[in-house]
Amino acid sequence: MLNSFVVGCGGFIGAASRYLLSLLINRYNTSTFPVSTLIINILGSFLIGLLVEILAVQNPNNKKLLLFLTTGILGGFTTFSTFSLETINLYQNGNTFLAILNVVLSILFCLAGVVLGKVLARVIIS
């Protein structure tokens, strides 16, 4: 039960952060391409890679901290369900190229974000 509370608290922080960052990014995005979702997913992927590596070395037994940061904050922050909806909407609105571009960029950069986060964590730790 405590783990659910920890995840829920983190989820609130992550979801609120995602909303505020989306507002900021969308002030400058004039295209129909979902730039804010892409940026948030890349950032969240990078951060989860970074945090998992750091916590594995620095604090491997603190499962609640890991749950709070990864499942909670970053689970609430990243927007894969929104990515999926926006991609389908692009496709259904006749923007097939943008839909495919969104899938390719999201997969490539989010995977790269995790790898870079893990690499940076190893540099920081060592």
Side-chain angles (χ1 to χ4, degrees):
M1 186 59 117
L2 181 58
N3 287 346
S4 296
F5 180 74
V6 166
V7 169
C9 289
F12 169 78
I13 294 167
S17 298
R18 176 185 68 224
Y19 172 71
L20 293 171
L21 185 55
S22 290
L23 290 177
L24 178 66
I25 294 168
N26 286 331
R27 279 187 186 175
Y28 306 101
N29 179 26
T30 58
S31 73
T32 58
F33 189 79
V35 173
S36 63
T37 302
L38 178 64
I39 290 171
I40 288 167
N41 282 337
I42 293 166
L43 180 59
S45 297
F46 169 77
L47 290 173
I48 204 165
L50 180 71
L51 291 173
V52 165
E53 284 295 306
I54 289 174
L55 290 175
V57 173
Q58 300 291 330
N59 208 346
N61 296 322
N62 194 339
K63 302 300 180 198
K64 284 186 182 32
L65 180 60
L66 184 67
L67 278 173
F68 176 73
L69 293 172
T70 59
T71 306
I73 292 178
L74 292 174
F77 181 71
T78 56
T79 53
F80 203 76
S81 58
T82 304
F83 151 78
S84 301
L85 176 63
E86 289 174 341
T87 301
I88 294 302
N89 286 345
L90 284 169
Y91 177 76
Q92 289 177 336
N93 290 330
N95 294 312
T96 305
F97 174 76
L98 289 180
I100 292 169
L101 182 66
N102 195 34
V103 169
V104 170
L105 291 176
S106 293
I107 291 171
L108 289 176
F109 284 109
C110 289
L111 291 174
V114 170
V115 170
L116 290 173
K118 290 171 85 64
V119 168
L120 178 60
R122 290 180 190 139
V123 168
I124 291 170
I125 292 167
S126 58

